[in-house]
Amino acid sequence: MHARLSLQPEADRLRRRLGKRFLAPGREVTFLIGALTFGSERYTARITRIQDLDDERLTVALNDGEPSLTWSAREGVKSDGNQVEGSLRTIVERLALDSPDQFIFAQLRGAAYFTAARLVRPAEAGASDNYSGPLWNIVRISEPSGGAQNRPQSLWRLYYTNAATGLIDKVLSREQGRTVAAEFSEWVNQGGELTPVRTVWKLNDQEVMSLTLANLTYSPKQ
């Protein structure tokens, strides 16, 4: 990615903040292993994120099976070459797109960036002079037109970047008319690479999905 087009300013800042995997060759593949929940279902998930010239690709294996689930912006979610719908599509799209890495990669496939607001505080904080919590810069990323058959369920996402840390705290998307919030926490620095250990997805403030990482490694693209 270091030799690709000049990124939109917010994406470029995050790219430099997150780590070397976006700046120099040798760490184009990220391997993640963790505990995944979806409603009452429990899985062990093995996720591989692979950088390409125009975006990234994912493979997902659940419960130590073969990596039968794949995602790319061009082909959507597939299993053994066939399109996937239902809960598995929802799981894979969330893992792929509700990600700090996708804040960077979305521009490479033609997504549009719009800074919706700066230094926003939570609504419940009001105009209190005593508020000392996070302030966010909010960027809306809209999917490019075209490719309607494989477009994601949510055609836009709102990324909340913490003004103090420069890291993304949460992402809002829209699924079947409902707003879903993905919240990132427990960021770790492993060899200069920053990644959230825990991601929780909420619908109406109720947890509906989570991913807690147990291991992550980086390697060159073969």
Side-chain angles (χ1 to χ4, degrees):
M1 178 166 191
H2 56 290
R4 300 172 198 169
L5 57 79
S6 177
L7 292 175
Q8 190 266 358
E10 281 83 356
D12 190 49
R13 281 195 291 271
L14 184 64
R15 175 181 69 151
R16 298 178 184 280
R17 181 78 176 91
L18 288 182
K20 301 175 183 177
R21 63 189 184 272
F22 305 111
L23 301 173
R27 298 187 179 187
E28 298 88 353
V29 181
T30 303
F31 299 98
L32 309 104
I33 300 175
L36 175 71
T37 69
F38 183 81
S40 60
E41 301 173 21
R42 303 290 184 269
Y43 304 97
T44 297
R46 291 187 291 118
I47 304 162
T48 306
R49 309 187 76 101
I50 306 166
Q51 297 184 23
D52 284 332
L53 291 176
D54 59 353
D55 203 351
E56 66 172 351
R57 293 174 288 122
L58 265 71
T59 64
V60 179
L62 300 177
N63 290 341
D64 299 320
E66 292 298 319
S68 59
L69 294 166
T70 63
W71 173 90
S72 70
R74 186 177 294 107
E75 297 187 343
V77 181
K78 286 189 171 184
S79 176
D80 297 324
N82 300 311
Q83 295 296 141
V84 172
E85 297 296 337
S87 61
L88 284 178
R89 177 185 177 184
T90 297
I91 289 171
V92 176
E93 283 192 357
R94 287 176 180 174
L95 293 174
L97 296 168
D98 292 331
S99 158
D101 290 20
Q102 267 296 310
F103 185 86
I104 298 166
F105 282 109
Q107 185 175 0
L108 299 179
R109 65 171 181 272
Y113 288 58
F114 173 72
T115 301
R118 295 190 182 277
L119 301 180
V120 173
R121 61 172 65 185
E124 57 270 21
S128 172
D129 293 333
N130 297 322
Y131 176 73
S132 59
L135 298 175
W136 297 297
N137 296 323
I138 304 175
V139 176
R140 179 186 174 109
I141 297 183
S142 301
E143 293 295 322
S145 59
Q149 180 179 358
N150 298 322
R151 299 182 80 188
Q153 296 178 79
S154 183
L155 299 182
W156 55 263
R157 276 171 164 76
L158 293 176
Y159 288 79
Y160 284 63
T161 301
N162 189 302
T165 67
L167 300 174
I168 294 173
D169 284 346
K170 63 180 175 180
V171 181
L172 301 187
S173 61
R174 194 79 171 164
E175 296 176 1
Q176 300 177 353
R178 304 177 300 176
T179 298
V180 178
E183 301 177 353
F184 306 120
S185 61
E186 301 177 33
W187 287 79
V188 296
N189 186 327
Q190 182 168 309
E193 309 292 343
L194 290 173
T195 303
V197 168
R198 183 160 171 79
T199 307
V200 174
W201 286 262
K202 294 181 178 179
L203 178 63
N204 296 326
D205 290 326
Q206 299 296 313
E207 182 177 321
V208 293
M209 176 171 154
S210 70
L211 174 67
T212 302
L213 298 179
N215 187 47
L216 63 154
T217 57
Y218 304 91
S219 72
K221 185 177 178 180
Q222 301 299 319

